[in-house]
Amino acid sequence: MSDEEEERRELNLVSKKDEEESESSMTPWEQHAKVISIPRFDYEAPSSLLQRSHSGFLITCTIKREKSATKEAMAIFSKYVGPFNGDDDTLRCSGNSDANADIKRRKIYREEIDQNIGNSVDSSEITDAAGGIPKDDCFVSAKTDKSQAPEFVLSLVKLTRSGLLLLTFPWGNSLDTIDVVSKIFCDLESGSLKSPLWCHRIFPIQATCTLNEKELQAVVSKLVFQFVNDKRNKLEQPLKFAGGFNRRGTEESQMKTSKDVSKNSDMSVLLDRNKCFGAVAAAVKGIVSDSVVDLKSPELSILVELLPLSGVPNGSLLVGVSVLPQNLVSTKPRLCIKPLVCDKNGKKAS
């Protein structure tokens, strides 16, 4: 072996060793991001959520494994949420989960505005005065490259709490989020969908609103009306219902800033669990007068989840609301959406 070949061999060994040491010093997130395409946050989403109601999914996951859970969630939703149709600018929902199973790579359609390097993304401004939504509001830009792989219609929203993921649809999307989660549970039970490792629960958000009594009651009334008028739901009389409110510790940080509380007195009042339950119960009884609270076996459950959004004004509180059927909730130890998988003892994972 010549001296030149020997030197080249030694350099390759050193380079390989340095690379291995670099990877071993990486955090799990960095190692994961090195081999997969992680979607970027949609920084326009919080302001849009404060202005209009959106549907989507709130996912609980293992803390410090949020990126792994995001990748996992993308793989799951790729079987149930179709890509947008670039030819006619409409959103499509897949009616057959197997039709999209062979699509290996998808990414969330919104791109992060990279402030560090000065890159920007073309997007349409939300205009309430127009009474509608601009044609390109649901997409990255009008210059979408149709030769690229189809992109997700879901946006990844940045949150201030660990162990949570928020994926939202564009405003005006009519996809039934509860139907999507129901199909996920069915496929998990049948074995056609692999049990997730990082995602624990998927809460289907039917609507969002600020934590305001008038807005909350309006949203709950609308969703309860839709539920009781859905012929697929066989209900008894009196109607048994229950309510759940997950504040995720937000009330503690909110109360520390007295100025914010004074400016949003209605919101701070509804942070009290009993006050929120009272507002929800009044909305239900306004739609179904013959209804009673039943925490053990409710026929419908109204779940209110406080969304810890990043990048919103101090004192702004937004909640996700859903009216769920009995088969999607667990009542012990508290009312909440069912976990996706069971532990080794046959109990549902937390």
Side-chain angles (χ1 to χ4, degrees):
M1 182 181 295
S2 66
D3 293 342
E4 184 178 349
E5 290 176 343
E6 180 66 23
E7 184 179 356
R8 187 183 299 111
R9 180 174 175 274
E10 290 179 358
L11 287 174
N12 288 336
L13 290 174
V14 171
S15 177
K16 185 177 181 181
K17 184 178 180 181
D18 290 342
E19 184 177 349
E20 290 176 352
E21 290 178 352
S22 176
E23 289 187 358
S24 64
S25 64
M26 286 182 179
T27 64
W29 282 18
E30 290 172 331
Q31 294 177 30
H32 205 162
K34 188 173 181 180
V35 295
I36 62 174
S37 177
I38 297 294
R40 299 174 183 269
F41 290 116
D42 175 8
Y43 288 111
E44 295 179 357
S47 61
S48 179
L49 285 165
L50 290 176
Q51 295 180 51
R52 292 171 172 170
S53 177
H54 290 251
S55 60
F57 305 95
L58 181 67
I59 304 170
T60 61
C61 63
T62 307
I63 293 178
K64 294 186 178 180
R65 286 290 187 177
E66 286 84 354
K67 290 191 176 181
S68 298
T70 301
K71 175 66 162 52
E72 190 172 65
M74 290 172 61
I76 293 174
F77 287 127
S78 70
K79 303 183 70 174
Y80 308 94
V81 181
F84 71 81
N85 187 335
D87 292 331
D88 58 7
D89 289 346
T90 58
L91 298 175
R92 294 185 290 130
C93 173
S94 172
N96 183 358
S97 62
D98 293 332
N100 293 328
D102 60 335
I103 300 178
K104 296 181 179 179
R105 294 191 63 185
R106 298 173 184 263
K107 68 176 182 178
I108 299 210
Y109 79 101
R110 294 280 190 178
E111 293 292 332
E112 178 184 15
I113 299 176
D114 193 337
Q115 297 177 345
N116 294 329
I117 61 176
N119 290 336
S120 62
V121 176
D122 293 333
S123 60
S124 301
E125 294 183 356
I126 299 172
T127 54
D128 287 329
I133 190 167
K135 183 178 180 181
D136 296 328
D137 188 65
C138 295
F139 311 105
V140 178
S141 71
K143 299 178 181 179
T144 303
D145 185 359
K146 297 177 184 178
S147 65
Q148 297 178 351
E151 298 176 335
F152 248 168
V153 297
L154 288 164
S155 290
L156 179 63
V157 184
K158 189 173 184 179
L159 302 176
T160 60
R161 299 276 168 177
S162 301
L164 289 175
L165 303 174
L166 177 59
L167 298 169
T168 62
F169 287 104
W171 176 79
N173 180 74
S174 59
L175 184 67
D176 189 339
T177 56
I178 291 181
D179 187 50
V180 170
V181 174
S182 296
K183 289 178 180 178
I184 290 174
F185 275 110
C186 287
D187 288 348
L188 285 171
E189 291 174 3
S190 67
S192 60
L193 180 64
K194 184 179 178 181
S195 297
L197 295 175
W198 312 114
C199 298
H200 300 162
R201 302 172 191 262
I202 301 178
F203 173 62
I205 299 174
Q206 290 180 289
T208 59
C209 67
T210 57
L211 192 57
N212 171 283
E213 183 174 3
K214 184 178 180 180
E215 287 191 30
L216 181 61
Q217 287 188 335
V219 169
V220 172
S221 297
K222 178 182 178 181
L223 296 179
V224 170
F225 180 82
Q226 293 174 350
F227 187 94
V228 297
N229 283 280
D230 189 336
K231 295 181 179 180
R232 296 175 297 178
N233 299 320
K234 307 299 180 182
L235 305 175
E236 299 178 357
Q237 291 183 340
L239 174 68
K240 295 182 289 185
F241 73 94
F245 181 31
N246 196 336
R247 298 172 293 186
R248 302 192 180 280
T250 304
E251 76 283 358
E252 298 173 3
S253 59
Q254 193 71 18
M255 292 305 176
K256 290 180 181 179
T257 310
S258 58
K259 292 182 180 180
D260 294 338
V261 174
S262 62
K263 292 179 181 178
N264 300 275
S265 56
D266 188 29
M267 293 185 183
S268 63
V269 167
L270 286 190
L271 275 173
D272 181 279
R273 198 181 300 274
N274 292 330
K275 295 290 185 181
C276 185
F277 287 159
V280 169
V284 175
K285 289 186 174 293
I287 300 298
V288 185
S289 58
D290 189 14
S291 58
V292 294
V293 175
D294 188 327
L295 301 179
K296 294 183 178 180
S297 57
E299 295 175 87
L300 68 85
S301 298
I302 303 95
L303 296 188
V304 180
E305 288 273 352
L306 205 52
L307 305 177
L309 298 179
S310 175
V312 296
N314 290 334
S316 297
L317 299 177
L318 193 84
V319 292
V321 186
S322 277
V323 175
L324 303 175
Q326 192 171 21
N327 64 311
L328 289 185
V329 300
S330 58
T331 57
K332 294 181 179 180
R334 60 184 177 84
L335 186 67
C336 60
I337 190 76
K338 282 184 176 179
L340 295 174
V341 295
C342 297
D343 61 20
K344 295 180 180 180
N345 297 323
K347 297 180 180 180
K348 288 289 185 178
S350 59

